[in-house]
C-alpha cells in the first residue's frame, strides 16, 4: 500500500550515504589534526598523519591494481601499520584479512589460499612463518615487508618495503567510499573448531555500528588513551581500531603483552582504557614488585573471550582497574553484550555482586537482540538463571556470513538467529550468563583451542590408541589443554616429553597440551568418550 | 565486478534489521523495567510502563484501522502522552505529526489537511485551538482527548478519551517493526516564515542515528535526568525523546517554561541535562531572588535555535549550567553540529574563548559533512573565518524530503547538498560559525552587516535583556541597522545615546544601529524572535 510518504522522497547524495567506519578518519583528521592518534615507543602520529598514511596506502594499492572485493592480508602485531591497514586497505575498496600470527604455517596457508590474498603485509618478526605458509600455497600475493621502527627482526620476504609503498601513494588521494554499506570491509577467520577455519565477513554497516556501540557502551571520548593489549587481528580489535578514530582518542601500540611494559605505559602515557582476556589482568596482578607501577587514575578494562574469575576482578580493582565483561564472537564483530553495572548492584552483599560480575550481560547498544533459546524448539528458555540453552544473536552487528561457505552460513543463521554454539542461561532480569562454552572449546589466554584439533595431532602418534583433550584450569592462562591418552596395547609407556614435542611439531605452541594423563578413557555405551567426566577430573585437580 | 564477497552473503533476519529508534524501548523496558522513565508532577512511569503504554496505543490505533503511511497528529505540551506517541504511533506503522500549539488555527488547519491526519490527539488545553482549526478543514480525523492528570482544562473535542483508548489496546501487542529503515517515522512542519509550512519527513534510519548521535555528542547515560524545556513538537525534541529510551535516562515533563518550576525541578529531581533556546537560559539568569534555587550539581545545557550571546553563557555558568552550542534545522533532525570544546580552548584569554563559544562547531557524530560553500559555484569558501557562504549538510541525518513537495525537495537538495539557507563562515580549524540567515543580512552602502554581530554587541550591555537587529530602509544607504531592544526588569529606561556609543566602541561605524526601539520582542513558539515581523514594522516606518 503506497502512501504519500513513499512518493517523491528518494535517497539522494545529500540525504543518504553508506555507513562506513572509514568516514571517522577524515572527521578526526579535521577535528583533531595535531592530537596524538598513535603512540608507538618513541614514535607519535597525529590524526592528520594517520589519515595521510591511510590515503597513501590506499592510493599505492589502487595504483598496483588492488581494488574492490580483493583481499589484502596482514601478519603483524599491534603496530602503527596495523592501524593504517584498517583504513587504507578498505579505502581502496579492498578487504582486510588480519592473520593470527600465533597460528601454524598450514593454517595461515589455508587462509591465504581460501581468502585469495592479493597482497600480504608482513612484519619482519613473522617472515619465517609467512615463508613457511607461502611455500604451501598457489596464491602469489604481492609481498610487503613492514619494518617496525621500534623492532626490526632483520628478515625480509621477497618484495617491497612498506614505507616505500606508502611513499608511492598520494596523501591527498580521493578515495572511493563504498557504494553500498553491505560491501565487505574485513575478513576474520575463526579458529576452526571443526575442520578448516571459516572466513567471517564483516561489512561497512556493521563495522560502523559496532564501532559506535563500543563508544556508547564504554563511555569512551577523545580523552580516551587505549593500550593495545588485545590483538588487532581479533575481530579488528573488537572494532575498537575504528572506534578510536570515531572519538579522536589515542592508541598506544604494544608488540608484546608484558607486565613491565604495560605498567610503564599506563603510568607514563596516561593509559585509561584497555581490553582483552583475563590473562592480561593476571599478568598485572601477579607481576613482581620490581615491575609494578602505581597510578592515580583508573584504567577501564573490558574483559571478554572467557569470563574473568571474580577473585581476579577484585585483585585488579585493588590496583587501579575497573573491570567490565563484554562478550561476543568473531561472528558478532567482537563484543555484542556487556555486563552493564547498575548502581543498585553495588548495594548487594559481596557474593551476589560476585554472581553478577560473572555474567555476560545484555545486548550491546546497537545489537537488536541476544537471548538464550532451546535450539530444538527455538523457544526462549525460562528466565530462571538455571535452564541451559544456546546463546543466540540477531541484529546489524552479526556478520555478513562465511566466505565461500553457504552451507556453514545457512547453518549458523537457521531460523533467523545467529547460533553462537555457546551454552548459557537467562536470568530473571534479562542478563545472560555463559555456563559452558560450546563443550569442546578450550580458551587459553583468550585464544580458542579446538580439542578436536589437538586430538587429531595426538592420534598421529604411533603409540596413541585414544586421546581426549579437555580444559585444565590454569591460574595464568585461564585454561590450558590437558590430554587424556590411552596407549596402544603392547606400548608399556612413553616419554611425555616425546609426545609434547610431537605435538609441538604439528600445532601452534598454545595448543600443545600442558598435562598428559595416561590410562583408559571413560565411555558411553555407544563408545563415545565421556568428556564431561574428564573435565570434572581436570577441575578437581586430576 | 563481482567478487566472492558479493556471493552467497545476503541479508537475512539474523544479520539485518532496519534501524529504528522503536527498538530502544523494548531494550530499556527489559534492562530498566522499574527505573523511572518519566516524571510528571506527582506521576511516575517506569520504562516497563512506558513500553506497555506505547504498545497499548499502537494496538488500539491498529484496531481502529490506522497503519502504515497514515498520519497521526498530536497537539500537546511536554507530557507523558507526548512520549507515548513518539513510540506508539510509529509502532502501528503510522507517522507522528507533532503540531506546534503556539500556531494560529489557519496554520494548524493547513498542516492537518496537508498531512491528511487520520487521528488527532489533543490535550485539553488546546481544544479551542483544535476546534478552530478543524472548522477549516475537510479531513475528519478521529479525535482523542488527552486529559493530563496534572492539568485538566475542562474542555473536550467530540471524540474518545486518551486513557480509554489505551485501555482498548494490548500491552503485549506484537507490533510490526518497519520493513525498511527508509520508511517515514514522523512529520515536522517548518515554521514557514514565507508561504505555507513545508512538511519535513523523517525516516527510521535517520531518527535512530541522530538519537544515538545525541548520546555520543552529549555524553548522556542512564544517569541522565532531562528536564523538557524544549518543546517535543520541535524536531521530535531534537530526537532526544528517542535518545532517552536508548540510554535508559529519565524525562522530567514540563507544561510551561517558567523559572520557578524549572529551578524547583532541578533542585528536587536531580535534573542534570536540558536543551533549548537561549531564552530559557535568560529566564534562569534573570529570575528574581524569590524563585531562584541553588544546586550543587552541574546542569549540562545544549543551546540551539539561535546562538547564545556569550554574556548569557557566562552568567549561566555562574549559577550552575554548562552551556554547549548545537546547531541544526528541522531538516537535519534537529542538532547536526556541536561546538566541541577542546581542553586547550580553556587556556585561551577570555575574548578568544568567547569567540569560540559563539561558533556552531563541527559535524555531529553521525553527520557525514557540514561545510560552508559558495552557493553559486558550490566550492568551499576559504577557511578564513571571514568569507561568507551558505552552510550545507550531507548525511544520513538529513531529512527524507518535504512531503508532497518534490519541487521544494529538489531545490533543497540541489547539487548533492542540503542547502540550509543560513550564512556562515568556516574557521581555519574547520569550525563553522553562523553569521546570519540570508534574509537577516543588512546591506548598508554595499556592505554586508550580520545582524547577529550587532546583537552580540548589544547583549554585552548590562541593561539589555533581548535584542534583535533588522534592516531599516534608508534613502542614502539602502538599508541601515535598526535595533529592537527589551530592557531587563527594573531598568526603567536608558539613554539611547549611551547605547549607541556602547555599540560604537565595539563595532565598525556602519554597523551601529541608526534607530533604537524599546519594548517586548515578538517570538515564535520555539523562542526565536520573529524578525520578519520586525522587518515589516521597519519597512512600514516603525
Amino acid at each position: 500500500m503506497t502512501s504519500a510518504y513513499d512518493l517523491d522522497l528518494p535517497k539522494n547524495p545529500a540525504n543518504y550515504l553508506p555507513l562506513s567506519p572509514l568516514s571517522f578518519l577524515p572527521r578526526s583528521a579535521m577535528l583533531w589534526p595535531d592530537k596524538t592518534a598513535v603512540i608507538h615507543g618513541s614514535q607519535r602520529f597525529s590524526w592528520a598523519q594517520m589519515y595521510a598514511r591511510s590515503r597513501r596506502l590506499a592510493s599505492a594499492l589502487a595504483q598496483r591494481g588492488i581494488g574492490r572485493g580483493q583481499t589484502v592480508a596482514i601478519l603483524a602485531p599491534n603496530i602503527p601499520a596495523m592501524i593504517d591497514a584498517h583504513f587504507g586497505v578498505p579505502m581502496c575498496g579492498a578487504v582486510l584479512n588480519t592473520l593470527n600470527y600465533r597460528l601454524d604455517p598450514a593454517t595461515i596457508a589455508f587462509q591465504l589460499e581460501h581468502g585469495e590474498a592479493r597482497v600480504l603485509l608482513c612484519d619482519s618478526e613473522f617472515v619465517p612463518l609467512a615463508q613457511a605458509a607461502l611455500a604451501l600455497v598457489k596464491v602469489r600475493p604481492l609481498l610487503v615487508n613492514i619494518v617496525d621502527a621500534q623492532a626490526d627482526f632483520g628478515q625480509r620476504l621477497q618484495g617491497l618495503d612498506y614505507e616505500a609503498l606508502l611513499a608511492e601513494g598520494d596523501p591527498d588521494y580521493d578515495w572511493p567510499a563504498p557504494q553500498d554499506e553491505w560491501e565487505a570491509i574485513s575478513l576474520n577467520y575463526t579458529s576452526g573448531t571443526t575442520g578448516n577455519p571459516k572466513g567471517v565477513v564483516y561489512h561497512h554497516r556493521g563495522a560502523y555500528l559496532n564501532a559506535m556501540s563500543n563508544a556508547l557502551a564504554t563511555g569512551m571520548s577523545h580523552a580516551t588513551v587505549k593500550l593495545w593489549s588485545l590483538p588487532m587481528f581479533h575481530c579488528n580489535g573488537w572494532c575498537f581500531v575504528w572506534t578510536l578514530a570515531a572519538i579522536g582518542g589515542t592508541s598506544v601500540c604494544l608488540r608484546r603483552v608484558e607486565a613491565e611494559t604495560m605498567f610503564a605505559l599506563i603510568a607514563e602515557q596516561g593509559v585509561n582504557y584497555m581490553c582483552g582476556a583475563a590473562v592480561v589482568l593476571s599478568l598485572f596482578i601477579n607481576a613482581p614488585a620490581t615491575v609494578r607501577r602505581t597510578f592515580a587514575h583508573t584504567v577501564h578494562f573490558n574483559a571478554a573471550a572467557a569470563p574473568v574469575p571474580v577473585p581476579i576482578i577484585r585483585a585488579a580493582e585493588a590496583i587501579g582497574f575497573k573491570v567490565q565483561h563484554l562478550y561476543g564472537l568473531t561472528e558478532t564483530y567482537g563484543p555484542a553484550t556487556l555486563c552493564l553495572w547498575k548502581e543498585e548492584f553495588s548495594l548487594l552483599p559481596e557474593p551476589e555482586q560476585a554472581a553478577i560480575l560473572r555474567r555476560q550481560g545484555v545486548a550491546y547498544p546497537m545489537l537488536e537482540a541476544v537471548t538464550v533459546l532451546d535450539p530444538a524448539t527455538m523457544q526462549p528458555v525460562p528466565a530462571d538463571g538455571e535452564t541451559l540453552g544456546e546463546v543466540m544473536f540477531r541484529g546489524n552487528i552479526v556478520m555478513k556470513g562465511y566466505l565461500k561457505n553457504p552451507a556453514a552460513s545457512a547453518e549458523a543463521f537457521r531460523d533467523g538467529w545467529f547460533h553462537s554454539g555457546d551454552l548459557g542461561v537467562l536470568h530473571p532480569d534479562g542478563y545472560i550468563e555463559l555456563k559452558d562454552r560450546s563443550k569442546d572449546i578450550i580458551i587459553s589466554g583468550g585464544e580458542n583451542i579446538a580439542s578436536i584439533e589437538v586430538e587429531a595431532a595426538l592420534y598421529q602418534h604411533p603409540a596413541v590408541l585414544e586421546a581426549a583433550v579437555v580444559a585444565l584450569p590454569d591460574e595464568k592462562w585461564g585454561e590450558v589443554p590437558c590430554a587424556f591418552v590411552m596407549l596402544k596395547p603392547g606400548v608399556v609407556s612413553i616419554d611425555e616429553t616425546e609426545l609434547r614435542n610431537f605435538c609441538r611439531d604439528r600445532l601452534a605452541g598454545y595448543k600443545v597440551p600442558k598435562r598428559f594423563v595416561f590410562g583408559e578413557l571413560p565411555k558411553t555405551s555407544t563408545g563415545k568418550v565421556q568428556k564431561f567426566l574428564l573435565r570434572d577430573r581436570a577441575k578437581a585437580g586430576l
Side-chain angles (χ1 to χ4, degrees), chain A:
Chain A
M1 205 177 54
T2 302
S3 82
Y5 293 104
D6 301 315
L7 300 171
D8 300 321
L9 297 165
K11 293 172 185 170
N12 66 57
N15 71 8
Y16 183 89
L17 283 97
L19 299 173
S20 166
L22 303 183
S23 66
F24 304 154
L25 191 50
R27 184 176 185 272
S28 272
M30 187 280 286
L31 189 49
W32 309 105
D34 303 321
K35 187 168 181 285
T36 302
V38 177
I39 294 174
H40 182 45
S42 57
Q43 290 180 295
R44 298 288 179 283
F45 299 95
S46 70
W47 280 111
Q49 288 172 319
M50 290 307 290
Y51 188 28
R53 287 173 65 89
S54 297
R55 289 164 104 176
R56 281 184 181 278
L57 177 57
S59 158
L61 290 172
Q63 284 171 35
R64 286 173 174 272
I66 305 302
R68 192 176 175 288
Q70 296 183 335
T71 302
V72 174
I74 184 167
L75 196 55
N78 292 344
I79 57 174
M82 190 70 159
I83 303 178
D84 299 341
H86 273 78
F87 294 93
V89 169
M91 273 179 178
C92 78
V95 178
L96 179 68
N97 174 212
T98 52
L99 298 168
N100 178 344
Y101 49 71
R102 294 173 189 153
L103 294 172
D104 55 301
T107 309
I108 297 282
F110 173 84
Q111 297 179 13
L112 291 172
E113 197 88 296
H114 184 265
E116 302 171 36
R118 292 285 304 263
V119 181
L120 172 61
L121 310 171
C122 182
D123 181 86
S124 68
E125 183 174 359
F126 304 110
V127 164
L129 174 60
Q131 283 170 331
L134 287 165
L136 304 172
V137 297
K138 289 200 203 79
V139 288
R140 286 287 162 261
L142 174 71
L143 303 176
V144 181
N145 290 289
I146 304 168
V147 183
D148 180 358
Q150 309 298 314
D152 178 358
F153 287 73
Q155 306 192 66
R156 302 288 184 271
L157 296 172
Q158 285 245 309
L160 305 169
D161 174 75
Y162 178 72
E163 295 292 335
L165 180 70
L166 290 193
E168 289 177 10
D170 176 2
D172 298 317
Y173 179 50
D174 185 18
W175 50 280
Q179 306 233 317
D180 185 324
E181 61 197 37
W182 197 253
E183 284 179 21
I185 186 169
S186 64
L187 172 65
N188 290 286
Y189 282 91
T190 62
S191 35
T193 64
T194 52
N196 283 323
K198 286 176 284 194
V200 174
V201 181
Y202 290 0
H203 47 62
H204 286 259
R205 173 184 171 96
Y208 178 99
L209 295 175
N210 217 30
M212 287 295 196
S213 276
N214 280 337
L216 285 165
T218 64
M220 281 183 158
S221 75
H222 61 267
T224 295
V225 181
K226 174 174 163 59
L227 176 59
W228 276 100
S229 49
L230 169 76
M232 294 183 196
F233 65 67
H234 272 317
C235 313
N236 304 109
W238 302 352
C239 295
F240 276 104
V241 182
W242 295 309
T243 304
L244 269 292
I247 58 171
T250 301
S251 282
V252 180
C253 291
L254 189 72
R255 281 194 81 95
R256 298 218 189 293
V257 178
E258 295 164 335
E260 183 165 9
T261 316
M262 294 193 296
F263 266 124
L265 290 169
I266 291 172
E268 292 161 19
Q269 303 296 345
V271 167
N272 53 23
Y273 183 84
M274 295 181 68
C275 51
V279 63
V280 179
L281 285 173
S282 296
L283 278 179
F284 284 116
I285 296 164
N286 299 311
T290 49
V291 310
R292 281 221 190 187
R293 296 280 289 268
T294 56
F295 42 94
H297 63 286
T298 298
V299 180
H300 191 92
F301 192 103
N302 278 121
V308 185
V310 173
I312 292 185
I313 293 180
R314 294 306 187 205
E317 285 172 349
I319 57 170
F321 294 87
K322 178 97 192 73
V323 182
Q324 184 185 38
H325 273 149
L326 305 179
Y327 157 67
L329 300 93
T330 303
E331 288 87 341
T332 63
Y333 292 75
T337 77
L338 74 160
C339 186
L340 199 150
W341 192 257
K342 300 181 180 179
E343 283 69 13
E344 66 225 53
F345 294 162
S346 299
L347 306 174
L348 296 172
E350 170 66 17
E352 288 178 46
Q353 290 195 34
I356 294 171
L357 280 171
R358 273 194 290 271
R359 299 175 177 180
Q360 280 58 49
V362 297
Y364 228 42
M366 301 195 194
L367 179 74
E368 296 298 311
V370 58
T371 190
V372 182
L373 304 180
D374 177 333
T377 64
M378 292 306 284
Q379 292 303 303
V381 300
D384 57 10
E386 291 191 2
T387 310
L388 272 187
E390 185 174 356
V391 178
M392 304 209 194
F393 296 86
R394 173 180 275 175
N396 297 298
I397 56 170
V398 169
M399 65 168 177
K400 190 168 174 173
Y402 298 114
L403 185 68
K404 301 194 286 190
N405 199 341
S409 297
E411 174 72 8
F413 291 141
R414 66 191 184 277
D415 301 315
W417 288 87
F418 169 67
H419 291 54
S420 73
D422 288 338
L423 300 182
V425 298
L426 190 61
H427 287 280
D429 61 2
Y431 281 55
I432 65 160
E433 182 180 349
L434 294 191
K435 280 300 175 183
D436 207 353
R437 300 280 293 193
S438 101
K439 288 164 290 191
D440 298 341
I441 300 283
I442 299 155
I443 304 169
S444 187
E447 298 289 346
N448 286 354
I449 302 172
S451 60
I452 199 170
E453 184 188 356
V454 186
E455 289 157 14
L458 286 165
Y459 274 114
Q460 293 174 45
H461 193 281
V464 171
L465 178 66
E466 286 176 331
V469 175
V470 300
L472 177 71
D474 183 88
E475 263 196 26
K476 181 170 180 195
W477 300 106
E479 296 175 345
V480 292
C482 171
F484 290 83
V485 176
M486 189 176 172
L487 298 174
K488 285 183 180 164
V491 182
V492 180
S493 77
I494 187 171
D495 187 345
E496 185 175 317
T497 311
E498 186 198 322
L499 213 47
R500 182 169 292 118
N501 288 338
F502 185 84
C503 288
R504 214 184 296 282
D505 289 342
R506 285 158 182 79
L507 295 169
Y510 67 93
K511 296 179 181 174
V512 175
K514 301 294 169 288
R515 284 288 295 269
F516 289 84
V517 183
F518 297 95
E520 202 147 333
L521 303 183
K523 298 218 188 78
T524 65
S525 55
T526 58
K528 275 173 88 176
V529 175
Q530 293 173 298
K531 277 201 178 174
F532 68 98
L533 290 177
L534 298 177
R535 265 194 294 275
D536 288 348
R537 280 184 62 189
K539 273 185 197 148
L542 306 172

